[in-house]
Amino acid sequence: MPALDLKTNVAVADPKAFSLEFSKFAAATLKKPETYISVNYTYHENLTFNGSFDPALLLSITSLDNINPDANLEYSKAFFAFFKEKLGVPDDRGYITFVDPGRTNIGYQSTHFGVIFG
């Protein structure tokens, strides 16, 4: 599992294609199999940052066992570079929130990851 929820005021021409590309990038960046990756792209024309509607984003990453200060620094660099290239959002126009809720707090396949991974 990681789940990535992207909110941005940048509309993309093909949201499905972008989401699939984002999914592959997330799997590679977070070093998790894409079979566990879930991404959500949501366009919000009214999203503001620093008092303007210039391109901006909010990204929430929920992931198990790989969220820590050193890794988050690398993830932040990688994701902001991706969004600058794909969406034109500079790294000073958004926030990334990293959350590791713990294995027992994520349900999957009628159980939770604490049972699945021990």
Side-chain angles (χ1 to χ4, degrees), residues 36 106-113 116:
Y36 287 119
I106 301 291
Y108 181 67
Q109 295 180 336
S110 301
T111 186
H112 58 69
F113 279 106
I116 294 169

Side-chain angles (χ1 to χ4, degrees), residues 78-118:
F79 281 106
F80 275 117
F82 178 81
F83 295 131
K84 182 168 178 95
E85 177 187 340
K86 302 299 178 182
L87 302 176
V89 178
D91 64 358
D92 64 348
R93 298 278 309 155
Y95 295 125
I96 300 175
T97 303
F98 302 98
V99 177
D100 181 342
R103 291 178 177 188
T104 60
N105 293 316
I106 301 291
Y108 181 67
Q109 295 180 336
S110 301
T111 186
H112 58 69
F113 279 106
V115 171
I116 294 169
F117 292 127

Side-chain angles (χ1 to χ4, degrees), residues 1 8 27 30 37 61 72 84 99 114:
M1 114 39 80
T8 181
L30 298 172
I37 299 283
I61 300 174
N72 295 351
K84 182 168 178 95
V99 177

Side-chain angles (χ1 to χ4, degrees), residues 6 11 19 23 26 30-31 43 56-57 76 88 103-104 113:
L6 173 65
S19 294
S23 177
L30 298 172
K31 298 177 178 76
Y43 169 67
L57 64 86
S76 185
R103 291 178 177 188
T104 60
F113 279 106

Side-chain angles (χ1 to χ4, degrees), residues 7-114:
K7 297 175 180 76
T8 181
N9 59 7
V10 178
V12 296
D14 187 343
K16 288 183 179 180
F18 172 78
S19 294
L20 292 175
E21 183 178 9
F22 180 29
S23 177
K24 289 187 184 320
F25 179 81
T29 301
L30 298 172
K31 298 177 178 76
K32 296 281 188 166
E34 194 175 11
T35 55
Y36 287 119
I37 299 283
S38 176
V39 301
N40 180 50
Y41 158 82
T42 306
Y43 169 67
H44 286 287
E45 67 178 317
N46 295 323
L47 177 68
T48 66
F49 194 93
N50 192 22
S52 81
F53 292 106
D54 292 343
L57 64 86
L58 299 171
L59 175 64
S60 177
I61 300 174
T62 304
S63 189
L64 297 174
D65 303 330
N66 65 337
I67 300 296
N68 63 69
D70 292 333
N72 295 351
L73 183 59
E74 295 305 313
Y75 301 153
S76 185
K77 288 177 189 175
F79 281 106
F80 275 117
F82 178 81
F83 295 131
K84 182 168 178 95
E85 177 187 340
K86 302 299 178 182
L87 302 176
V89 178
D91 64 358
D92 64 348
R93 298 278 309 155
Y95 295 125
I96 300 175
T97 303
F98 302 98
V99 177
D100 181 342
R103 291 178 177 188
T104 60
N105 293 316
I106 301 291
Y108 181 67
Q109 295 180 336
S110 301
T111 186
H112 58 69
F113 279 106

